[in-house]
Amino acid sequence: MKFLTDYTLVEFPGLGLRFDVYANLAEFTLFGNTVTIKFYGVIIAFGFILAVLFGGRMAYKWKMSIDKMLDVLIYGTIGGIVGARLYYVVFQWDMYKNDLLSIFKIWEGGLAIYGGLIGALAVAFFVCKKIDLNFYKLLDLAGMSFLIGQGIGRWGNYTNQEAFGTNTTLPWGMTSEKVSEYIVRNYDSLSAGGMTVDPNMPVHPTFLYESIWCLLGFVILYIVCRKFRKFDGQLILGYGIIYGLERTVVEGLRTDSLYIGSTNLRVSQLLSLALVIVCAVITIIKFVKIKKQAGQNTGGNGETENV
């Protein structure tokens, strides 16, 4: 195995900070092919492991079957990967329609987080039905775990110097050779999307915005879980509101959004706004219902009510 030493110099001019950022960790030969270990994958895996460990700990506290949880995790992970890829391919069909085999080359990039969430939750629903596991409790665990994984995983975008935003004069604006090259290479498509981006100016580190937002969101949901949780499904609704608000705001800054057809409408931004509205409405309805039924807590057995 050979450890790689190539790096990109990333600067935050307004803060006077400079970092050497490595995209690749090492490479080795497997069956005659060169395999590269990327920091992106390492960081995603680390976030995934922490999310799973937290979910497992909470499942133990809630007396949920760990074996059944593992079944959901395995199938849900597969569903998430498939969903993330299909979501991206659908909205970038021109890139794949003449080379269908490239759809399977996920190591070249092209995974959309909303597609992953949709795929994972859809598969989890059917698996929970099959093995008789409380789907709404599982969603509450997932909501908190998702925020851990996303908060850490976004740093993979930093190592790749991707998923950044438009120009900014804020002190934490970021710039690097990779950022400038991307802007120059995609200048025409960015302009067509209504964005004029100067490759010589700092950009919004949107990966950082989402990372901080998600980790703070996890803290909020954990506090709600410990002190204010009134019904099964409450935390996943909170996740939808917290994450949806973040993507609605931050997606508008990004330079790599997926668009609806030839319009300037960003898919994830519209989906995020819809998610916030739907989750907020359901949450309000549930609390109004709980208030009306004060003193009657699901037949008096002290258990939370399903959403």
Side-chain angles (χ1 to χ4, degrees):
M1 178 181 292
K2 180 176 69 175
F3 288 93
L4 304 178
T5 58
D6 57 312
Y7 60 85
T8 298
L9 177 63
V10 180
E11 299 184 74
F12 296 82
L15 299 176
L17 299 176
R18 306 173 69 181
F19 301 99
D20 294 336
V21 177
Y22 296 80
N24 302 321
L25 172 61
E27 65 181 23
F28 59 93
T29 301
L30 181 65
F31 304 122
N33 297 312
T34 300
V35 178
T36 301
I37 301 175
K38 295 181 175 291
F39 271 109
Y40 180 90
V42 173
I43 292 171
I44 293 292
F46 179 63
F48 178 81
I49 290 171
L50 285 185
V52 170
L53 290 175
F54 173 79
R57 177 62 179 169
M58 292 301 296
Y60 175 78
K61 287 186 175 182
W62 287 358
K63 296 180 172 55
M64 298 175 69
S65 169
I66 299 298
D67 289 338
K68 291 182 178 181
M69 289 281 292
L70 287 175
D71 288 340
V72 177
L73 175 64
I74 293 171
Y75 290 109
T77 299
I78 295 172
I81 294 173
V82 173
R85 186 58 168 174
L86 288 179
Y87 186 99
Y88 184 85
V89 169
V90 166
F91 291 103
Q92 293 281 46
W93 180 241
D94 287 343
M95 292 175 55
Y96 300 98
K97 64 182 181 182
N98 296 320
D99 183 13
L100 297 182
L101 287 179
S102 65
I103 294 175
F104 300 97
K105 299 178 181 179
I106 61 174
W107 56 87
E108 294 181 354
L111 298 174
I113 193 166
Y114 267 127
L117 292 175
I118 293 170
L121 293 179
V123 171
F125 174 78
F126 288 106
V127 175
C128 284
K129 287 289 186 181
K130 181 72 174 178
I131 63 178
D132 191 28
L133 186 67
N134 188 317
F135 180 61
Y136 298 108
K137 274 191 176 182
L138 177 67
L139 286 184
D140 281 345
L141 292 183
M144 292 185 288
S145 297
F146 283 158
L147 289 173
I148 294 175
Q150 290 169 249
I152 294 173
R154 275 302 175 190
W155 284 89
N157 296 133
Y158 176 61
T159 63
N160 281 356
Q161 284 294 281
E162 61 187 8
F164 51 83
T166 53
N167 295 134
T168 179
T169 57
L170 293 170
W172 49 81
M174 174 188 75
T175 186
S176 73
E177 185 177 344
K178 284 187 177 180
V179 168
S180 298
E181 288 176 351
Y182 176 88
I183 294 172
V184 170
R185 188 170 62 251
N186 296 277
Y187 188 83
D188 291 340
S189 59
L190 291 173
S191 297
M195 289 178 284
T196 301
V197 189
D198 186 340
N200 300 310
M201 292 288 292
V203 298
H204 286 284
T206 49
F207 79 91
L208 180 61
Y209 300 164
E210 181 159 333
S211 176
I212 294 173
W213 197 310
C214 285
L215 294 177
L216 288 177
F218 163 74
V219 173
I220 292 171
L221 283 193
Y222 186 70
I223 292 172
V224 171
C225 175
R226 292 290 300 273
K227 299 181 180 297
F228 307 106
R229 183 170 175 266
K230 301 298 183 182
F231 59 90
D232 292 340
Q234 181 180 344
L235 300 182
I236 193 64
L237 291 172
Y239 166 83
I241 295 171
I242 291 171
Y243 183 65
L245 280 173
E246 181 272 322
R247 282 303 289 267
T248 300
V249 175
V250 176
E251 189 70 21
L253 300 174
R254 286 177 56 167
T255 56
D256 62 341
S257 298
L258 298 175
Y259 292 88
I260 298 177
S262 58
T263 71
N264 289 336
L265 298 175
R266 301 170 189 252
V267 178
S268 292
Q269 195 169 34
L270 292 178
L271 184 57
S272 297
L273 182 59
L275 181 65
V276 171
I277 294 172
V278 170
C279 289
V281 169
I282 294 175
T283 300
I284 292 171
I285 291 173
K286 291 298 298 181
F287 274 104
V288 169
K289 181 179 178 182
I290 289 172
K291 187 175 181 180
K292 289 181 178 179
Q293 296 176 340
Q296 299 178 1
N297 197 8
T298 318
N301 61 9
E303 294 186 1
T304 55
E305 179 187 355
N306 286 342
V307 69

